[in-house]
Structures are given as C-alpha cells and as structure tokens.
Amino acid sequence: MVTDKEGYAHLIQYLTEHLGLFENAGTGVDGSTVMEVFEDLLAAQIIVVCGQNPELSFAQRNTIIREVDAIMYDLEEILAGCGRQPVNREQSYFITEFTGLVKNLFDQEIEKALRQ
C-alpha cells in the first residue's frame, strides 16, 4: 500500500538524512524512548486515518496494520543504535513531523483505493 511506493522511499531517505539528530543522547522529555514515541505517534496517526475513512473494509484496515508493522520494522532497523535512548524535545518534534508525513502517504493511497 505505502511501503512499496516512491513516496515512502523518499520518507526513509528523509529520516536517514536526519539521523544525526538521533545520535546524541540527551535528557528525555517524559521518560519515553525514541521508538516508543515513534510507535505512539504512528499509532495515533493511523487511528485518525481509519476514523476519517469509515468506509474502509476489514481487509483494507488489516492491510494498513500490516503496513504499519513494516514501517515500525524499518524504523527499528534504521534507529537500532538509538531507538532505546530517551527522546529529547528536538527528536520528538521530528518524530511528530515524520509520522504526519506517513499519515499523508496513507491518505493519498486510501483516496486512490476508494476511488477505484
């Protein structure tokens, strides 16, 4: 759905270009780790996506969940060395932006799927 699209590849490239942001362990914002914040914010975005599209079938929702699992796997691979460190404010802002961009990818693909 999204992980095989060019937009996703660009988004992963955007993340890798900003890996320096995650290399410096700082003081945590709220005790959450980098990966916990990615997971929480991505889950929140997907809940919004599904809520905005009640006409999605059960199969389509399952596809979205599998895609999110694949995205989390990719994030864990990319952020392996720093995923368990406490998230700082700057990282949290980046993660918020990144997960919003992931939501945009889903919005675009869902719109295409529902028009067919």
Side-chain angles (χ1 to χ4, degrees):
M1 176 176 248
V2 298
T3 56
D4 61 346
K5 303 295 189 239
E6 186 177 338
Y8 182 71
H10 289 294
L11 197 54
I12 293 299
Q13 181 180 356
Y14 177 67
L15 174 61
T16 58
E17 289 170 357
H18 290 85
L19 279 180
L21 177 66
F22 294 95
E23 292 174 356
N24 300 323
T27 57
V29 175
D30 64 0
S32 297
T33 66
V34 168
M35 287 309 298
E36 287 171 342
V37 174
F38 263 111
E39 187 175 332
D40 290 348
L41 293 179
L42 188 55
Q45 292 289 8
I46 296 309
I47 289 169
V48 170
V49 165
C50 291
Q52 290 173 332
N53 298 284
E55 63 276 13
L56 289 171
S57 69
F58 180 76
Q60 289 169 318
R61 290 175 192 272
N62 279 339
T63 299
I64 291 169
I65 291 168
R66 282 192 303 275
E67 288 282 305
V68 171
D69 286 343
I71 291 168
M72 285 305 300
Y73 177 81
D74 290 345
L75 293 173
E76 288 170 355
E77 289 290 310
I78 294 166
L79 299 168
C82 55
R84 291 198 169 120
Q85 70 186 15
V87 68
N88 65 38
R89 183 165 275 109
E90 188 176 0
Q91 293 165 341
S92 182
Y93 292 146
F94 178 86
I95 295 168
T96 300
E97 176 188 13
F98 184 88
T99 56
L101 293 170
V102 171
K103 179 191 179 294
N104 289 346
L105 290 177
F106 277 102
D107 289 338
Q108 292 170 3
E109 292 305 312
I110 289 169
E111 181 181 336
K112 288 178 193 175
L114 293 177
R115 282 189 287 167
Q116 296 177 357

